[in-house]
Amino acid sequence: TWNGLLNASGALKTIQRSKMETIGNYQVATVTTEFEQGIFDMQISFDAKHQIAGFFIKHSSDSAAAWTPPAYAGAVDEKPITVGSFNLRGFLTLPKSGKGLPAIVLVHGSGPNDADETIGANKVFKDLAFGLASRGVAVLRYNKRTNQSPNARSSKDYTVKDEVIDDALAAVTMLRTQPNVDPHRIWVLGHSLGGMLAPRIAAADAQIAGIVSLAGATRPLEELVVEQIKYLMPNDAKMNAVAQKFFDTVRDPKLTSQTTVDLLGAFLPGSYFLDLRGYRPATVAGRLKQPMLILQGGLDYQVTVADFDGWKRALGSHANVKLKLYPALNHLFITGTSPSKPSEYETPGHVAQEVIEDIASFVTASHTAMR
């Protein structure tokens, strides 16, 4: 994992600071480290026996320069909210006026993301919230459970349902109670892992008005991991072997919920991958009746055009589905470079205005068509 971080982000320059805090039954040490091409928080959790119970590496919020609204964002209102049984902190971003508003719940990608989905120097969800609210769509975003409670995934039966789906459904339910929001016009927008899970979320609540998938994979997670390591570190035999071992472990018919799986240094119970085994996002989406907007960046190396093709094969003939590829955008739906690399996430940018316009117009047009 360390070698992979060095390959992607350059040499370690300095340790900026460290802190220790108590979260539930754990002591969590957070060490903020600066590399040549990024700032990362290393989180190490210790249980009551002082044994390591979790290890996470995530982009530090220090990576993001002071956020300024994109040029396409107008004046909006924003208020703090909490979501679900974990009281996840978040924000409801609203247009300055209007009643019976359509609304969108934002669902994060993999990793312990904050409400803004801060990745490097960028805040993908904050861009979406301000851009869409400027166009008459209310937006709810919140801290991911593993961001606010880092040890949430240490339970032996932890699943993607615990990590993502339960809180997304709770957010939808909460949003239906908000003044000025039309409870029949609640959408789910997922990015990356969230985009892959969006059909499963919609299948769990038939009252969800529709889904938007940004860079949602149609292939299994273990395939993506092997592909990404080969792309980023083609000559690192050791890292490629680690990725292949992860693939083999997840595909092993003998995998049990109690098996500890090493996902490139993040240790997860087998229950997490058993929950995903057999889930085919495009197949589930094909059974949904809600309208769907599937968006993909052409420069995305994490979720590629191969996944977009999977959506096209399953949904291309559906009248209420729109699929769009943006050739010049990366995984964050920000203008990128070719070939795309993780280091470009450290350059401040904004979600492309075209993406904002496409989402807002699709949500609005779908409601008009249904009437």
Side-chain angles (χ1 to χ4, degrees):
T1 302
W2 183 259
N3 288 338
L5 187 59
L6 293 175
N7 276 320
S9 302
L12 174 66
K13 293 175 63 178
T14 185
I15 294 175
Q16 294 187 345
R17 63 180 179 277
S18 63
K19 66 177 181 179
M20 182 74 79
E21 56 189 329
T22 301
I23 301 177
N25 296 322
Y26 297 88
Q27 293 293 312
V28 181
T30 301
V31 183
T32 301
T33 54
E34 182 181 357
F35 290 75
E36 289 178 337
Q37 299 181 48
I39 302 175
F40 298 87
D41 285 338
M42 312 263 176
Q43 287 188 331
I44 307 171
S45 304
F46 300 90
D47 63 17
K49 296 180 180 179
H50 307 294
Q51 294 180 322
I52 293 176
F55 174 60
F56 308 97
I57 299 176
K58 64 179 183 178
H59 283 281
S60 173
S61 57
D62 289 359
S63 295
W67 184 85
T68 55
Y72 52 72
V76 301
D77 289 327
E78 191 164 77
K79 66 177 184 178
I81 52 89
T82 57
V83 169
S85 59
F86 278 69
N87 295 315
L88 303 173
R89 295 182 294 275
F91 304 93
L92 177 59
T93 310
L94 296 157
K96 278 291 185 181
S97 62
K99 295 182 179 180
L101 298 168
I104 292 178
V105 171
L106 302 182
V107 183
H108 320 76
S110 58
N113 291 290
D114 63 14
D116 294 334
E117 202 181 42
T118 302
I119 301 174
N122 300 284
K123 294 181 178 290
V124 177
F125 279 6
K126 198 166 187 178
D127 287 350
L128 288 169
F130 276 64
L132 292 171
S134 301
R135 287 153 179 79
V137 180
V139 180
L140 173 60
R141 68 192 195 277
Y142 53 91
N143 291 336
K144 194 172 179 181
R145 185 180 296 193
T146 47
N147 174 277
Q148 196 163 307
S149 300
N151 297 294
R153 67 182 189 180
S154 62
S155 66
K156 295 186 182 302
D157 57 354
Y158 181 74
T159 66
V160 74
K161 180 177 181 292
D162 301 312
E163 181 191 25
V164 177
I165 295 171
D166 286 348
D167 295 326
L169 291 171
V172 169
T173 299
M174 190 274 286
L175 194 49
R176 289 183 177 132
T177 69
Q178 296 301 304
N180 301 331
V181 169
D182 184 342
H184 304 293
R185 302 174 68 190
I186 310 297
W187 289 63
V188 168
L189 183 156
H191 175 229
S192 197
L193 176 66
M196 183 184 80
L197 294 173
R200 184 168 163 182
I201 295 167
D205 184 346
Q207 300 306 309
I208 289 172
I211 63 174
V212 181
S213 175
L214 275 64
T218 54
R219 295 174 294 161
L221 175 63
E222 61 270 20
E223 288 187 25
L224 301 186
V225 169
V226 170
E227 185 177 272
Q228 287 178 31
I229 295 300
K230 286 181 178 179
Y231 172 79
L232 293 172
M233 292 167 270
N235 300 316
D236 190 327
K238 185 175 291 186
M239 279 303 297
N240 278 274
V242 170
Q244 186 61 47
K245 182 179 179 181
F246 164 70
F247 180 97
D248 294 339
T249 302
V250 172
R251 291 289 178 93
D252 188 344
K254 297 179 181 178
L255 177 69
T256 71
S257 61
Q258 304 305 307
T259 304
T260 299
V261 180
D262 179 3
L263 174 53
L264 306 182
F267 296 95
L268 291 166
S271 54
Y272 186 89
F273 301 99
L274 290 172
D275 186 29
L276 286 172
R277 183 181 283 181
Y279 171 57
R280 298 294 179 262
T283 301
V284 174
R287 296 195 290 262
L288 297 175
K289 296 181 179 179
Q290 297 102 314
M292 287 171 271
L293 178 63
I294 311 295
L295 306 180
Q296 174 69 40
L299 299 182
D300 191 342
Y301 74 88
Q302 294 180 254
V303 178
T304 71
V305 175
D307 295 282
F308 186 62
D309 289 340
W311 293 112
K312 286 196 295 185
R313 286 191 296 271
L315 303 173
S317 62
H318 291 227
N320 63 346
V321 175
K322 180 179 179 180
L323 301 103
K324 186 169 182 178
L325 177 70
Y326 305 90
L329 302 186
N330 63 21
H331 187 64
L332 308 188
F333 287 82
I334 295 171
T335 300
T337 58
S338 182
S340 182
K341 294 287 185 181
S343 57
E344 74 182 29
Y345 300 167
E346 303 301 330
T347 301
H350 289 296
V351 172
Q353 180 172 346
E354 184 181 5
V355 175
I356 303 293
E357 303 286 2
D358 287 342
I359 296 169
S361 62
F362 187 81
V363 169
T364 304
S366 294
H367 175 68
T368 303
M370 286 187 287
R371 288 194 302 178

